[in-house]
Amino acid sequence: MTSLLPFLEELADAPDHAARARWLLEVPLAVIIRDQVTIHRLLSAAGFHEGLAYFAAEIAALSATRGRDGLAPNTIRMTREHARIGIQIIARGGALEGARYVSN
């Protein structure tokens, strides 16, 4: 048992990047905003670079000044969606980030 809140304990205890990716996709956005320093530290300690990129895109989108249409600027929304697609692939176990394939 740690001093972390239950949501954060789940991230800290995640066994692999796929579990971390699923956590990032499922956790309430309020937790991402509230605990962003701790989340960044946990993702960094795990070496989850794709997760950090998605996390940064999510924070940027949540923190952006919105236009009259109520949406963040198009560049921020596109960056967020691109990062989300990558995280979804990792969450499904379809990508091994950093893997190197050697042909014989």
Side-chain angles (χ1 to χ4, degrees), residues 9-23 46 97:
E9 283 187 14
E10 289 176 22
L11 178 58
D13 294 340
D16 54 27
H17 289 342
R20 290 180 194 92
R22 286 190 297 275
W23 185 91
E97 56 290 326

Side-chain angles (χ1 to χ4, degrees), residues 12-95:
D13 294 340
D16 54 27
H17 289 342
R20 290 180 194 92
R22 286 190 297 275
W23 185 91
L24 282 167
L25 292 170
E26 296 170 1
V27 71
L29 295 174
V31 172
I32 287 179
I33 288 291
R34 182 190 67 205
D35 298 314
Q36 59 186 291
V37 172
T38 303
I39 294 167
H40 188 276
R41 182 181 53 79
L42 292 169
L43 295 173
S44 293
F48 189 23
H49 304 292
E50 293 83 356
L52 285 166
Y54 169 73
F55 178 69
E58 196 69 72
I59 292 293
L62 292 168
S63 303
T65 300
R66 298 179 292 158
R68 290 182 181 172
D69 58 2
L71 300 173
N74 200 29
T75 53
I76 290 177
R77 292 191 342 253
M78 296 305 288
T79 300
R80 180 189 200 186
E81 289 308 310
H82 183 266
R84 186 188 323 257
I85 290 167
I87 288 298
Q88 289 170 331
I89 292 168
I90 294 168
R92 290 191 305 262

